[in-house]
């Protein structure tokens, strides 16, 4: 595994850019995939957004200044691409974001890539009810164990605001699960 600083240098050097990019994809594709998947829910959509994220990273790597870590910068791109994708998909299908989320959750029940049981499906349904930013914050904190400081750098917002959003999301999820218990 190549160190981040060396990888950035190689990515910004024309002679090494392609091989460095292959290394970058190898190192980050799974983590970015799951961040995106937790936002868009659908496997095929997540693959599309992941591809768009890597294209943006490749095209814009020379503008990366190193003010943040490379993975922070890529997570920010992935988060923005996920939100943009969801908004475009809703507009293209002429439905609200809420209707689209409902459809995605229903589709998740028959998704061959979803390996969860009934409790995990209920948990995913609860997460899907969250507003986009709250869902993003919750999934990045809960599933990927980012610190609030990392999230602050990725999402360019205050730690206090993130903590508040996360705790509100937890309350909403808990309430959804209590209200929709089937046991």
């Amino acid at each position: 595994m190549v160190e981040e600083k060396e990888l950035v240098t190689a990515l910004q050097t024309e002679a090494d850019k392609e091989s460095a990019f292959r290394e970058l994809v190898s190192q980050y594709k799974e983590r970015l995939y799951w961040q995106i998947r937790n936002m868009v829910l659908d496997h095929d959509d997540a693959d599309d957004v992941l591809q768009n994220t890597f294209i943006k990273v490749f095209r814009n790597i020379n503008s990366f200044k190193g003010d943040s870590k490379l993975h922070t910068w890529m997570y920010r791109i992935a988060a923005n691409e996920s939100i943009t994708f969801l908004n475009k998909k809703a507009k293209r299908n002429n439905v609200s974001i809420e209707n689209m989320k409902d459809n995605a959750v229903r589709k998740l029940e028959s998704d061959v890539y979803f390996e969860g049981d009934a409790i995990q499906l209920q948990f995913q349904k609860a997460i899907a009810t969250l507003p986009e930013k709250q869902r993003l914050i919750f999934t990045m904190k809960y599933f990927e164990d980012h610190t609030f400081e990392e999230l602050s750098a990725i999402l360019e917002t205050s730690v206090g605001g993130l903590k508040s959003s996360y705790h509100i999301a937890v309350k909403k999820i808990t309430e959804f699960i209590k209200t929709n218990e089937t046991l």
Side-chain angles (χ1 to χ4, degrees):
M1 188 181 291
V2 178
E3 289 296 317
E4 190 170 284
K5 241 179 190 174
E6 294 170 26
L7 190 56
V8 170
T9 301
L11 284 163
Q12 293 177 337
T13 306
E14 279 306 311
D16 300 327
K17 190 171 185 174
E18 285 188 36
S19 63
F21 188 72
R22 281 193 293 278
E23 177 65 26
L24 176 91
V25 170
S26 174
Q27 283 186 31
Y28 291 100
K29 69 180 172 191
E30 189 170 341
R31 288 184 277 175
L32 287 173
Y33 169 83
W34 285 108
Q35 175 195 331
I36 294 164
R37 176 73 189 264
N38 285 324
M39 282 296 294
V40 302
L41 297 178
D42 181 78
H43 168 72
D44 293 330
D45 290 346
D47 276 345
D48 290 345
V49 175
L50 180 64
Q51 183 176 3
N52 290 343
T53 298
F54 279 123
I55 289 169
K56 250 192 182 154
V57 167
F58 187 82
R59 288 182 178 158
N60 296 299
I61 192 64
N62 289 329
S63 66
F64 177 70
K65 304 289 185 233
D67 297 337
S68 63
K69 292 185 177 187
L70 179 63
H71 76 273
T72 300
W73 182 68
M74 291 191 313
Y75 272 92
R76 186 177 312 127
I77 292 170
N80 290 335
E81 285 296 307
S82 297
I83 291 168
T84 299
F85 175 84
L86 290 170
N87 289 331
K88 283 182 180 177
K89 186 174 181 180
K91 190 174 184 177
R92 184 177 59 242
N93 294 331
N94 204 26
V95 296
S96 70
I97 290 287
E98 284 70 34
N99 284 344
M100 198 175 69
K101 283 194 285 188
D102 291 343
N103 291 338
V105 168
R106 279 194 295 279
K107 191 175 173 186
L108 190 61
E109 294 177 23
S110 61
D111 187 341
V112 295
Y113 296 101
F114 182 73
E115 298 175 352
D117 59 17
I119 294 168
Q120 290 166 319
L121 183 61
Q122 187 74 346
F123 184 51
Q124 288 299 323
K125 286 179 180 180
I127 293 168
T129 65
L130 298 172
E132 287 176 28
K133 283 286 193 181
Q134 267 183 5
R135 191 168 79 235
L136 179 63
I137 292 163
F138 180 82
T139 58
M140 291 179 78
K141 176 73 176 139
Y142 184 84
F143 291 113
E144 298 168 35
D145 203 28
H146 285 288
T147 66
F148 287 112
E149 288 74 20
E150 290 171 328
L151 289 174
S152 177
I154 292 167
L155 301 173
E156 298 176 319
T157 191
S158 72
V159 170
L162 289 166
K163 285 181 179 179
S164 176
S165 288
Y166 180 78
H167 292 293
I168 291 169
V170 169
K171 285 181 181 179
K172 287 179 179 178
I173 290 169
T174 303
E175 187 59 36
F176 179 92
I177 291 172
K178 284 180 183 176
T179 305
N180 295 286
E181 272 186 307
T182 55
L183 300 175

